[in-house]
Amino acid sequence: MPKSKRAKVISLTKTKSAGRAGKAVNIERIQKSCDDYATIYLYSCANLRTNRLKELRSEMKDDSQFYMGKNTLAKVAFGHSKETSYLPGLDKLSREMKGDVGLLFTNKNADELEQYFKEYSELDYARAGSIATKTVTRNKGPCPDFPSSMYEPLRKLHLPVILNKGKVEFEEDHNICVEGDTLTPEQAQALKLFEHKLASFQIQLLFRYREGTVTQLVSDDVLAKLEDYQKHKIDKMDGDDDGY
């Protein structure tokens, strides 16, 4: 991207912790990424998994960089208005940074990258508080993969198991979860023990910034649902302050 010709004084009065010097460094890093990469994407994550994101960072490190830090820092780096925008039109992307979103700076081909993330999905174990995507039933009968020492731990997960001649078995058919359930900690742990992966880690590209233009990549309905889901969340991503 063309570098901004104007030197700007960045106010840090609205940021917290880490110290002004540290935040100034991070803001400079974000602005350098704006200069180094042709395209910036604003994205959201479904079922964020740190290890999966690290893998993506490693795979794409030659021509891309992920930022998942505090939105407030990125907004300051981008600028809040046309007058303070680091690059032309970047303030428009800044205004779309709400809730749990991240930034992807890249030099990859836009069509190829957007198609890649449309198809990208990594299954993982669902966590407590997430919604069950299907009904998982354990039929009556023995559990050959579990030794007798697992009887008490399984009972603590509210599973109807018994010991029959020293072997763990279900005494009746049992739904570990039902589609649409908000998973309890016990259900989430049971699903993991029985190796049922119901969560899908996905990255959804919401907006694209390139050469001064911001393009919305999803429908208004998708953005509205995302904002409604995130309205109770803090305006901060899961990660370190520097976000890289």
Side-chain angles (χ1 to χ4, degrees):
M1 291 184 187
K3 292 189 177 182
S4 172
K5 296 181 180 179
R6 294 178 294 171
K8 299 180 179 63
V9 177
I10 302 296
S11 172
L12 301 177
T13 57
K14 294 185 179 181
T15 61
K16 303 176 183 178
S17 73
R20 290 193 177 190
K23 290 190 177 295
V25 169
N26 292 331
I27 287 171
E28 289 176 1
R29 290 178 66 186
I30 294 170
Q31 291 177 337
K32 185 177 186 303
S33 294
C34 294
D35 295 329
D36 291 345
Y37 297 95
T39 307
I40 306 171
Y41 287 96
L42 181 68
Y43 67 87
S44 67
C45 286
N47 301 302
L48 176 62
R49 299 294 187 266
T50 303
N51 61 328
R52 303 295 186 190
L53 188 60
K54 286 181 178 179
E55 291 174 2
L56 278 175
R57 281 174 165 163
S58 178
E59 292 171 8
M60 299 172 64
K61 65 181 179 180
D62 290 339
D63 54 14
S64 304
Q65 190 170 53
F66 286 87
Y67 172 85
M68 294 191 73
K70 291 183 178 179
N71 289 349
T72 49
L73 281 182
K75 287 180 178 181
V76 171
F78 285 174
H80 295 280
S81 65
K82 184 177 180 180
E83 292 71 29
T84 62
S85 184
Y86 181 68
L87 294 174
L90 201 52
D91 57 298
K92 297 177 182 177
L93 188 64
S94 176
R95 290 195 287 273
E96 301 298 341
M97 297 191 69
K98 306 168 187 175
D100 287 352
V101 293
L103 296 167
L104 171 57
F105 301 87
T106 185
N107 287 324
K108 287 184 178 294
N109 176 274
D111 291 338
E112 292 177 2
L113 184 69
E114 289 165 25
Q115 185 61 38
Y116 173 79
F117 279 116
K118 283 181 181 178
E119 299 172 357
Y120 179 83
S121 179
E122 289 285 345
L123 285 176
D124 208 333
Y125 296 108
R127 294 172 177 171
S130 59
I131 304 300
T133 56
K134 67 177 183 180
T135 298
V136 176
T137 301
R138 186 73 189 188
N139 294 327
K140 177 181 178 180
C143 302
D145 295 332
F146 293 94
S148 59
S149 60
M150 284 297 297
Y151 169 72
E152 287 297 335
L154 291 173
R155 291 292 295 183
K156 289 180 180 179
L157 297 178
H158 311 308
L159 299 175
V161 294
I162 59 173
L163 277 177
N164 184 5
K165 298 180 180 179
K167 296 182 179 180
V168 177
E169 62 179 52
F170 274 78
E171 61 180 341
E172 60 185 19
D173 292 348
H174 177 73
N175 289 331
I176 297 177
C177 67
V178 175
E179 183 177 354
D181 280 352
T182 299
L183 296 177
T184 65
E186 291 80 12
Q187 286 175 309
Q189 181 62 23
L191 288 169
K192 187 173 183 178
L193 285 174
F194 288 96
E195 299 183 346
H196 290 282
K197 295 182 177 181
L198 302 190
S200 177
F201 168 55
Q202 296 174 309
I203 288 182
Q204 186 169 40
L205 304 178
L206 306 176
F207 292 90
R208 178 183 64 236
Y209 172 87
R210 186 179 177 88
E211 297 179 346
T213 300
V214 175
T215 303
Q216 184 174 317
L217 302 177
V218 295
S219 68
D220 290 338
D221 287 343
V222 169
L223 291 178
K225 289 178 181 178
L226 182 64
E227 186 172 352
D228 183 62
Y229 174 75
Q230 295 183 349
K231 65 183 178 181
H232 65 287
K233 294 180 177 288
I234 299 173
D235 188 25
K236 175 185 177 182
M237 286 303 300
D238 174 55
D240 297 329
D241 286 355
D242 63 14
Y244 289 99

